[in-house]
Amino acid sequence: MAKSVVGGNVHEFDSELYGETIAQFDRVGELIGLDDNLAARLRVPQRAMVVSFPFRRDDYSDVDTVFGYRVQHVLSMGPTKGGVRYAADVNLGEVAALAMLMTWKCAIVGLPFGGAKGGVRIDPTGLSKPEKQRITRRYISEIMPFIGPNKDIPAPDMGTDEQTMAWMMDTYSQNVGYSVPAIVTGKPPALGGSIARREATGRGVMSLLPTAAARIGMPVEGARVVVHGFGNVGQYAALAARQMGCLVVGISDISGGVYRSTGLDVEAAMAWVAEHRSLEGYEGGDRISNEELLELDCEVLVPAALSGVITGANAGRVNAKIVLEGANGPTTSEADAILADQGVMVVPDVLANAGGVTASYFEWVQDLQNYFWSENEIVARLREIMNKAFSEVLDVADRDGVDLRTAALIKGIRRVASAKLARGVFP
Ligand code: NAD
């Protein structure tokens, strides 16, 4: 068991997701005999920043106070890297947990980054474009001393997109006086953003399906796929699934789900969301609830929205053979155990959705060198990195007789631990 932090246990980061993430880390730490001092060090983020700032609504006299966060978990691996989330319930504990997951994710796929994450506690769905722009510019101004192309590089996550990244890049650049494209990834290509970054996470998730399916002797062609969350990750995962010959029978977002046993028209659903901002009113199938969607009879379930959606309460009713985790932390530890008992293969978030940060890494490298790669090069390198990481994780799983989440974490935690040991303690 890891020793505690001087001054007692840490409550600053208390949250459900942090608890889950620490429990996973402790379990794997114990399994690999992780050094006690190192385990205690890695349980808490190295830097965590909380900011509050005024936010003027479009109604000029209406000013709210908004909270923002940026957490950097480990600074020993290189600059830190991680998305920024805009959501009504973002808190320091959730952001800290997501930063820790980013550390393992980068280590699992072999990227030269430590993990970071950011968030602004506001519901983005009701914001006008000018309101979102003001929030973004002020948030970045507040965390300016903390970020930089060689320090910490933000990216999109829930509630943020290419346009948000463009405002972040512009705000940082205006402040330093010259253009710094490498300050964020997930930008529009016109600003040095990478072609294919938008599709990378969803595509990366699905790129693991052939290997996962082969392991259980399941054909990919005609496999029924259900996608929970139809944003950036979910849409491109669904599209990739269709392109691989799967049948996407269910999709959902915050407005609820849509089901069609003969397969949904993914492109039409994407076009609907692009125009109406959600699946509300989309009539390409039968309307169902998000709860029903997660329990649909299918071969592949892709959670691609929130954390903690597959829990002890519903895992027993998950009717998939493979769960590909597009979202971060969608499955609780309790649910993991139930799914394992049912023989469901879970390809964990830290591996399955690593395509996003891998494409971000490519974008950052291209920005630093001012030399841009072709789409084919990007797609081929992404596929190669994802498949190599998956096959290494499968080797650990087979060698140690553990599930894929444990195997992936063993690989990630070992890499970070050896780097920290090599660097030593300062001073
Ligand atoms: P997004 O904001 O583009 O999409 C989120 C989707 O989830 C939307 O369709 C939204 O309506 C839906 N949603 C929100 N609340 C819901 C609810 N209660 N029930 C059902 N659906 C709900 O976000 P995204 O970038 O696609 O991120 C989705 C997940 O993937 C997050 O967990 C994120 O951390 C993770 N992720 C994203 C990336 C990336 O590159 N964008 C990379 C790795 C992991």
Side-chain angles (χ1 to χ4, degrees), residues 411-425:
K411 182 171 186 284
I413 293 170
R414 277 223 169 102
R415 180 161 193 253
V416 175
S418 68
K420 283 196 85 68
L421 282 173
R423 285 186 64 152
V425 175

Side-chain angles (χ1 to χ4, degrees), residues 235-256:
Q235 291 186 20
Y236 288 102
L239 195 61
R242 251 183 57 89
Q243 287 160 354
M244 293 164 76
C246 303
L247 218 54
V248 179
V249 295
I251 54 174
S252 75
D253 68 7
I254 195 151
S255 73

Side-chain angles (χ1 to χ4, degrees), residues 85 157 159 197 201 230-233 253-254 290 304-306 328:
R85 171 176 289 196
D157 193 79
R197 168 63 185 89
T201 310
F230 201 60
N232 174 277
V233 179
D253 68 7
I254 195 151
N290 267 299
L306 311 170
N328 284 312

Side-chain angles (χ1 to χ4, degrees), residues 85-86 98 102 105 117 124-125 155-161 197-198 200-202 228-235 252-256 273 277-279 290-291 303-307 309 325-330 349 353-357 360:
R85 171 176 289 196
Y86 290 180
L98 293 166
M102 280 302 292
K105 191 180 301 181
K117 205 78 182 186
T125 51
D157 193 79
M158 274 174 66
T160 54
D161 56 15
R197 168 63 185 89
R198 189 190 304 165
T201 310
H228 176 257
F230 201 60
N232 174 277
V233 179
Q235 291 186 20
S252 75
D253 68 7
I254 195 151
S255 73
V273 172
R277 294 178 83 170
S278 88
L279 287 167
N290 267 299
E291 291 71 27
L306 311 170
S307 60
V309 292
E325 293 188 334
N328 284 312
D349 47 8
N353 69 31
V357 69
S360 275

